[in-house]
Structure formats: structure tokens, C-alpha cells
Amino acid sequence: TDAQWEEDKIKLAAQILQGSVTASMPSASQILAISATSESPALAAEIANAYAEAFVQTDVRRSVDSNAYARQY
């Protein structure tokens, strides 16, 4: 079915991304190093930047949620 095909494409894309992206935090640093590999350097940069942006957004959301929770008590 079309729905199953769409689901399979999403799963395959996720597997490819998962296999091409690495993240590490060098010792004595608070900077997260994110890298991606691809045959296209531009695509690798776009993927790494997207992961970084998602990380920042998640971190900001957690901080806001944490502060809102703290204000309640």
C-alpha cells in the first residue's frame, strides 16, 4: 500500500541518517561536535547543521519547561 511504502521510506531514511551522523563531546569542553558523512559535502553540512539546530531547540525547550516547573513550586 501507499501508506506502507511511505513508512518504509521514512525508516530507510532514518537508518541512513543514523549511520552517517556522529556526535562527540571532547573532554574538558562544553561544545558538542556533530559530523555527517555523505558523497556531497553540501548535504553533509546540511545534515550536521540540522542535527545541531534540533539539539539546540530541544535544549531550549527543556530549559523553558524546567523553569516553568520551578516557578510552580
Side-chain angles (χ1 to χ4, degrees):
T1 67
D2 287 343
Q4 183 61 45
W5 172 241
E6 286 298 318
E7 186 178 328
D8 289 347
K9 286 194 310 185
I10 291 169
K11 286 180 182 178
L12 179 59
Q15 289 173 346
I16 292 169
L17 283 173
Q18 189 176 25
S20 69
V21 176
T22 59
S24 63
M25 188 174 292
S27 61
S29 174
Q30 293 185 4
I31 296 173
L32 181 64
I34 300 172
S35 63
T37 56
S38 172
E39 291 181 12
S40 164
L43 179 59
E46 191 173 332
I47 292 169
N49 289 336
Y51 268 83
E53 180 63 28
F55 177 80
V56 168
Q57 291 300 321
T58 301
D59 195 45
V60 167
R61 229 176 292 128
R62 283 187 188 148
S63 179
V64 168
D65 291 346
S66 178
N67 288 337
Y69 177 80
R71 275 183 264 149
Q72 289 177 353
Y73 297 96

